[in-house]
Each structure stands twice: as structure tokens, then as C-alpha cells.
Amino acid sequence: HVRRFRAITIEGAELLLPDEAIAAAARAAGMRDVKAAGDYKGAVAELAGQADGPHRILICGSLALLCGAVLEEHG
């Protein structure tokens, strides 16, 4: 059900996997259109810009380090 997958690196979280490793794992699992996107702002902007009509972006990961920041910025 995933059309596009963007992996990011979370700054200051050295124990987490870098974006390239996450992207490689997604490709190995059979996902297509996988990219290492660097940061979440660029990834969200790219994915939102590619959507035709209403769209959903599923953000997974650390609630404290990433999801909270995205929700704060985008409500």
C-alpha cells in the first residue's frame, strides 16, 4: 500500500539508523520509489507536492524526536 517511501536521519539521535540504511531496508523489503531524503521538512514537502488531490502521509518513528516536531508545525 506504500506508493512512496522517504527515509530521514534524525539529527542528534546517533543510536538510530541513518537514512541510507533505512532506505536500503525498505528496498530489500520490496518497496519502490524509495529515497533517502535527509530531513523531514524536505520529505514532507516532496511527498505533499507529488499528490493529486487529497493525500495522506504516514510518519513513523520516534514520537519524541520527530513526530512531535511535525505535528507542532502542521497541526
Side-chain angles (χ1 to χ4, degrees):
H1 298 295
V2 175
R3 287 189 222 154
R4 292 178 291 275
F5 184 97
R6 299 298 176 263
I8 65 164
T9 299
I10 299 175
E11 295 298 321
E14 290 76 23
L15 297 178
L16 301 177
L17 291 173
D19 58 355
E20 290 292 346
I22 296 167
R27 285 186 203 100
M31 291 186 188
R32 298 180 182 187
D33 192 2
V34 174
K35 294 181 187 174
D39 65 34
Y40 80 88
K41 289 181 181 183
V44 170
E46 177 190 356
L47 293 171
Q50 293 176 353
D52 295 327
H55 58 278
R56 293 187 179 126
I57 298 174
L58 174 63
I59 300 170
C60 302
S62 169
L63 291 175
L65 296 174
L66 174 61
C67 298
V70 173
L71 289 172
E72 184 177 308
E73 285 188 29
H74 298 281

